[in-house]
Amino acid sequence: MSQDKNIGFVGLGLMGLPMAANLVAQGWSVTGWNRSAGPLDELIALGGTAAGSVAELRDLPIIVFMLPDLPHVEEAAAELLERWRAAPPAAGTVIVVMSSVSPQRVQEFGQTVSKASEGNAAVLDAPVSGGRVGAQAGTLAIMAGGRAADFATAAPAFDAMGTTVRHLGPLGSGSLAKACNQLIVGTTTAALAEAAELAERSGLDAAALFEVLAGGLANSRILELAGPRLLAKDYTSSGPAKFMHKDLSFVLEAATSAGAVVPMASAGVELYAELKRQGLGDQDLTVVRQAISHLSDQAAATAEGNISA
C-alpha cells in the first residue's frame, strides 16, 4: 500500500471507530490507538492494526485525534511529541484534531507541535458534524482550519469519512465553524424541547405540533432527527449532552475574542450547565427536555408554595 494511504487514528469511541472503519473500507492502512482494548479488537477485525502507544504512530504522515477535548489530545500526544523532540518526523507530517475544541487553544497546540517537530509537523483542526449516524455512513460534514498544503495532505482521508469537506481558513477556523454549528444545534434542540414541554403541559398534542412545524418555516434537520426522540423521551445516548456545555463555552470564548454578543449561546451555556447539575450529562442531547421538565416542576412547586403562603 502506498505511503500516502497510511494513517494513525487515536480515539476509537462512538464517533472514532466508525470513522476509522470507513478509512479501512476506502483502502487506507489504519493503525489505531485507544485507551481500552475492545475498540482496538474491532478495528483489527475490520482490517486495521493496533499500536501499543501513540508514540508508535510517529512515522505516519497523518495522525488523527478523535478525543473528547483538547486536554485529552494533549495528554495522548505528549509521548509522541517527546519522540519528535529527539528525532523530528518527516517534513509534511500532519496531526488532525477532529474533536470539538477551543479555537484559541488549538492554535496554541499547533505552536507546540511545530516547535516539538522542528517545523516538520503541523496541526489541522477538522471537527465534524453529523453525529454517529454520519460517522457510520461516511457522510460527515468536516470543517477544517490550517495551512492549505496540510489540508491537501489530509483531504483524501476526509473524503473517506465525509461528504461535505471545506477548508475554511487558518488553524482554529474549523473549530470556530464547529462552535457556530453547535450554537445552532444546541439552542435549536433546546427550543424544540421547550416547545414540546409547553405543548404537553398546556394540553396540546406535541406530536401533532411537531407535524405542523415540519410543514412550515420551523422545519429543520434537527426537528427531523431530534423531534421523534424528544416526543418519545428517548434519551439513549448517541453522544453525551454534557459536551454541548463545553461546545457552547467555546462560542462564548470566541465571541469575547471577536467582540461579538451571543445572547442565545449565553442562555444555552446556562441551560446545559443546569442539565449537568441535574446529573443528566451522560445521556443524549435530547435529554435537555428532561432538564427543562425538572425546571418546570420546580417553578410550579414554587408558585404553588407562594399561593399557599
Side-chain angles (χ1 to χ4, degrees):
M1 183 162 301
S2 63
Q3 176 67 21
D4 63 0
K5 295 204 79 170
N6 290 334
I7 191 167
F9 207 107
V10 179
L12 300 171
L14 288 174
M15 296 287 290
L17 182 59
M19 291 164 68
N22 280 321
L23 284 164
V24 172
Q26 292 295 318
W28 287 77
S29 177
V30 180
T31 304
W33 182 88
N34 195 67
R35 192 175 299 275
S36 57
L40 281 173
D41 293 338
E42 292 187 58
L43 179 64
I44 292 169
L46 292 169
T49 58
S53 70
V54 176
E56 291 182 17
L57 308 176
R58 64 188 180 276
D59 296 324
L60 295 175
I62 304 172
I63 307 171
V64 171
F65 285 80
M66 190 61 178
L67 298 168
D69 199 357
L70 193 59
H72 303 92
V73 174
E74 292 170 328
E75 179 184 0
E79 185 181 355
L80 172 68
L81 299 189
E82 281 301 313
R83 294 286 185 93
W84 282 351
R85 290 184 181 100
T93 297
V94 180
I95 284 182
V96 185
V97 178
M98 302 194 77
S99 320
S100 297
V101 302
S102 160
Q104 284 72 30
R105 286 200 61 184
V106 78
Q107 293 172 344
E108 296 169 5
F109 180 60
Q111 294 170 0
T112 298
V113 168
S114 180
K115 183 177 179 180
S117 65
E118 298 185 3
N120 285 352
V123 174
L124 283 176
D125 63 320
V128 304
S129 181
R132 193 178 185 189
V133 171
Q136 292 170 332
T139 58
L140 292 169
I142 301 174
M143 44 207 94
R147 299 182 311 196
D150 299 320
F151 175 77
T153 296
F158 293 155
D159 288 339
M161 296 182 281
T163 50
T164 302
V165 180
R166 296 289 184 273
H167 180 221
L168 297 171
L171 185 61
S173 300
S175 296
L176 178 58
K178 180 60 185 289
C180 292
N181 179 87
Q182 296 302 83
L183 169 58
I184 295 167
V185 172
T187 57
T188 302
T189 303
L192 289 170
E194 287 186 18
E197 197 65 20
L198 174 61
E200 269 195 9
R201 287 174 182 261
S202 303
L204 194 65
D205 184 341
L209 170 66
F210 277 20
E211 183 179 349
V212 172
L213 295 180
L217 194 58
N219 191 27
S220 69
R221 182 69 169 159
I222 299 172
L223 175 58
E224 178 185 341
L225 295 178
R229 302 190 70 174
L230 288 166
L231 292 173
K233 301 180 182 179
D234 174 10
Y235 308 136
T236 305
S237 182
S238 62
K242 62 187 177 185
F243 291 155
M244 184 56 71
H245 178 254
K246 166 184 71 78
D247 294 346
L248 291 179
S249 296
F250 296 152
V251 176
L252 300 189
E253 178 185 281
T256 298
S257 177
V261 177
V262 284
M264 295 297 290
S266 298
V269 164
E270 177 51 36
L271 175 58
Y272 286 100
E274 170 62 23
L275 181 153
K276 290 170 61 180
R277 288 192 290 269
Q278 292 181 17
L280 304 173
D282 289 329
Q283 297 185 65
D284 190 75
L285 180 64
T286 50
V287 81
V288 68
R289 178 174 181 182
Q290 186 63 58
I292 290 167
S293 180
H294 286 160
L295 290 172
S296 299
D297 290 341
Q298 293 169 12
T302 299
E304 185 177 343
N306 291 337
I307 292 173
S308 299

